[in-house]
């Protein structure tokens, strides 16, 4: 039962089509009007048939009274028996025709002679009336007891002819049911015509307009709604076409603005940077036109370099604005000593926390590379662990050393130091790498990335991270990433490369910035 009530509740709460609502309202109105008309017609027919029956019974009573008067004058003997025989014959003929409830009462010499059988209830009802005084009759009293009476009084005899209303109503009911069937058939035909009209002038145009709106919602802003024969539908069609044109213009402006924002963000990324004794390669692939990922290589006045990768929460323009803010804060914080990462991170965090909207934050890996000592000093604000691969094949992780940026004005981080040997490699990445999903919704994960990075080849650093990026793209079936994806690889140059280049990297620093939209 609860399932039934739940189904009824769902049906009641479910939106209905305009055609359904129009048909329901029209048919409901017609049904109520038809029912009222039939009820009114029924009572009118009853009144009319009752009046006709009363007239007929009066005529019958006059005829019988005349016959009885002649009968008692012509036959003075056995008057009662003769009258009884006569009215029995008359009543029998009437019952055979159309009046099975016919009853005749003759008042003769102070007594009643009657024919026709009645139920005990009818006998009790008839006993309430004084047939010797017809003037005391109230026809409404008879009708109240479902009876109709016609009578004729005379000097020798008075005749009363009685019929039940049940017979009248049975005949009227049959007639009304026949009318109901005819009107019902006409109603169905009318409903069918209304349905066809609504389908042609409302249903089909609305379906076409709905398809047009769906196409516009899907991004096909060139879709135009067709014209219709009705002014209202034409007005609605024109409004949709105007809306589509306005959306197309707004989309063109938005794309133009996003293209400018994309170029600005691309310009903010490092290009053609050469870091002493360190080869770099990087891939940047936004999930939208602009990204919340940020990476940079900033030279310091003492000859060292800042290396940064960050991931601002969210996507799109707000995240990109946060990334641009991080760059400006990092530039400002690195203008004067001390240049240690923890001091710079604290200053960036203080300014970022005071400027960013509540609830926004960023993860950041910040390192200082000192070429002469081959020292990498670093802090990590909640960023994914970087992967450090020694030339020997040993693998280490550079884990987070403190809170995310933007959470606490007075946050602290632990600073750590790593000495890079010749041909040691480091891989920095954003969560768009590890959170890439396949068709089954399985994450690529840190373990797969670590295993992929550990299979070292003699290829260039850029070739290596392109191999990683291609594997990730295959994992997600070459679909666009659902989060910004950044890969930054570092490698300390070998002695042979350094001797050949006079202490500089033998290869140009390599990059691949992919803007998918």
């Amino acid at each position: 039962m609860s399932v039934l009530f739940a189904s009824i509740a769902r049906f009641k709460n479910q939106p209905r089509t305009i055609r359904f609502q129009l048909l329901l309202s029209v048919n409901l109105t017609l049904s109520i009007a038809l029912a009222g008309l039939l009820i009114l017609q029924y009572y009118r027919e009853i009144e009319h048939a009752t009046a006709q029956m009363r007239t007929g019974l009066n005529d019958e009573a006059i005829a019988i009274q005349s016959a009885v008067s002649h009968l008692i004058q012509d036959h003075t003997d056995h008057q009662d028996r003769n009258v009884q025989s006569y009215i029995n014959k008359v009543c029998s003929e009437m019952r055979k025709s159309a009046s099975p409830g016919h009853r005749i009462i003759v008042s003769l010499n102070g007594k009643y002679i009657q024919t026709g059988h009645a139920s005990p209830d009818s006998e009790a009802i008839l006993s309430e009336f004084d047939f010797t005084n017809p003037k005391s009759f109230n026809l409404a009293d008879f009708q109240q007891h479902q009876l109709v009476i016609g009578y004729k009084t005379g000097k020798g005899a008075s005749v009363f002819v009685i019929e039940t209303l049940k017979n009248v109503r049975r005949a009227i009911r049959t007639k009304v049911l026949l009318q109901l069937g005819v009107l019902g058939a006409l109603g169905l035909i009318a409903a069918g015509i209304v349905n066809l009209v609504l389908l042609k002038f409302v249903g089909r145009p609305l379906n076409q307009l709905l398809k047009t709106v769906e196409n516009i919602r899907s991004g096909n802003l060139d879709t135009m709604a067709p014209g219709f024969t009705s002014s209202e539908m034409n007005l609605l069609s024109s409004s949709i076409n105007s809306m589509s044109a306005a959306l197309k213009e707004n989309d063109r402006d938005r794309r133009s603005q996003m293209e400018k924002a994309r170029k600005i963000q691309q310009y903010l990324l490092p290009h053609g940077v050469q870091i002493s004794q360190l080869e770099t390669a990087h891939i940047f692939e936004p999930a939208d036109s602009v990204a919340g990922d940020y990476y940079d290589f900033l030279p310091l006045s003492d000859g060292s370099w800042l290396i940064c990768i960050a991931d601002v929460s969210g996507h799109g323009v707000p995240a990109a604005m946060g990334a641009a803010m991080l760059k400006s804060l990092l530039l400002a914080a690195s203008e004067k000593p001390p240049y240690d990462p923890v001091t710079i991170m604290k200053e960036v965090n203080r300014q970022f926390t005071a400027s960013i909207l509540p609830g926004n934050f960023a993860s950041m890996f910040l390192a200082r590379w000192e070429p002469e000592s081959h020292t990498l000093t670093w802090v990590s604000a909640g960023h994914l662990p970087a992967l450090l691969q020694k030339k020997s094949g040993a693998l280490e992780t550079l884990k987070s050393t403190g809170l995310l940026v933007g959470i606490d004005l007075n946050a602290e981080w632990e600073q750590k130091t790593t000495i890079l040997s010749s041909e040691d490699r480091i891989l920095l990445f954003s969560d768009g790498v590890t959170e890439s999903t396949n068709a089954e919704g399985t994450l690529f994960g840190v373990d797969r990335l670590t295993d992929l990075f550990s299979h070292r080849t003699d290829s260039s650093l850029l070739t290596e991270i392109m191999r990683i990026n291609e594997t990730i793209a295959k994992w997600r079936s070459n679909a666009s990433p659902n989060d910004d994806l950044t890969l930054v690889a570092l490698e300390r140059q070998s002695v042979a490369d350094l001797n050949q280049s006079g202490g500089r990297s033998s290869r140009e620093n390599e990059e691949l910035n992919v803007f998918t939209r």
Side-chain angles (χ1 to χ4, degrees), residues 221 245-261 289:
L221 300 181
L247 288 175
K248 185 177 181 180
E249 183 64 26
N250 292 338
D251 184 66
R252 187 183 297 112
D253 292 342
R254 182 190 67 82
R255 289 179 182 274
S256 175
Q257 297 298 326
M258 292 302 294
E259 177 63 18
K260 292 178 182 178
S289 299

Side-chain angles (χ1 to χ4, degrees), residues 120 141 160 162 221 401 411 494 501:
D141 292 337
F160 307 89
I162 302 171
L221 300 181
T401 62
S494 64
S501 61

Side-chain angles (χ1 to χ4, degrees), residues 333-367:
S334 61
E335 285 184 349
K336 57 184 180 180
Y339 298 124
D340 57 289
V342 70
T343 300
I344 296 175
M345 181 72 84
K346 287 181 179 179
E347 179 61 19
V348 169
N349 174 68
R350 187 177 64 83
Q351 296 291 345
F352 189 78
T353 305
S355 304
I356 201 71
L357 287 173
N360 288 26
F361 53 86
S363 65
M364 177 184 282
F365 180 93
L366 182 64

Side-chain angles (χ1 to χ4, degrees), residues 217-284:
R217 186 183 67 85
S218 301
N220 187 5
L221 300 181
D222 292 322
T223 303
M224 299 294 290
F228 302 102
T229 56
S230 63
S231 59
E232 294 84 359
M233 289 299 176
N234 263 337
L235 180 61
L236 183 56
S237 177
S238 299
S239 299
I240 291 175
N241 289 336
S242 299
M243 178 193 68
S244 178
L247 288 175
K248 185 177 181 180
E249 183 64 26
N250 292 338
D251 184 66
R252 187 183 297 112
D253 292 342
R254 182 190 67 82
R255 289 179 182 274
S256 175
Q257 297 298 326
M258 292 302 294
E259 177 63 18
K260 292 178 182 178
R262 183 191 70 81
K263 290 180 178 179
I264 291 172
Q265 185 173 55
Q266 188 176 18
Y267 180 76
L268 294 176
L269 297 174
H271 297 280
V273 176
Q274 292 185 348
I275 301 176
S276 177
Q277 302 188 43
L278 199 66
E279 181 185 352
T280 66
H282 26 94
I283 290 178
F284 180 73

Side-chain angles (χ1 to χ4, degrees), residues 113-253:
I113 301 172
Q114 57 182 322
T115 186
H117 299 285
S119 65
D121 292 338
S122 298
E123 294 290 354
I125 292 170
L126 292 175
S127 65
E128 298 177 4
F129 300 97
D130 182 8
F131 290 100
T132 61
N133 184 19
K135 293 182 180 181
S136 66
F137 289 173
N138 186 348
L139 297 181
D141 292 337
F142 279 90
Q143 191 165 339
Q144 181 181 355
H145 293 293
Q146 306 299 310
L147 298 173
V148 182
I149 185 170
Y151 62 91
K152 174 62 178 174
T153 60
K155 294 182 179 179
S158 297
V159 178
F160 307 89
V161 183
I162 302 171
E163 182 68 83
T164 62
L165 278 175
K166 181 172 64 175
N167 298 326
V168 179
R169 287 178 176 164
R170 184 185 298 115
I172 297 303
R173 191 179 299 115
T174 302
K175 183 177 179 181
V176 170
L177 288 176
L178 180 60
Q179 291 177 347
L180 177 62
V182 173
L183 291 176
L186 293 176
L188 288 176
I189 294 173
I193 295 173
V194 170
N195 191 22
L196 289 176
V197 171
L198 290 176
L199 179 62
K200 180 178 180 180
F201 294 104
V202 179
R204 288 177 182 172
L206 283 179
N207 286 336
Q208 289 177 300
L209 292 176
L210 180 60
K211 289 180 180 178
T212 302
V213 173
E214 284 293 326
N215 287 333
I216 294 173
R217 186 183 67 85
S218 301
N220 187 5
L221 300 181
D222 292 322
T223 303
M224 299 294 290
F228 302 102
T229 56
S230 63
S231 59
E232 294 84 359
M233 289 299 176
N234 263 337
L235 180 61
L236 183 56
S237 177
S238 299
S239 299
I240 291 175
N241 289 336
S242 299
M243 178 193 68
S244 178
L247 288 175
K248 185 177 181 180
E249 183 64 26
N250 292 338
D251 184 66
R252 187 183 297 112
D253 292 342

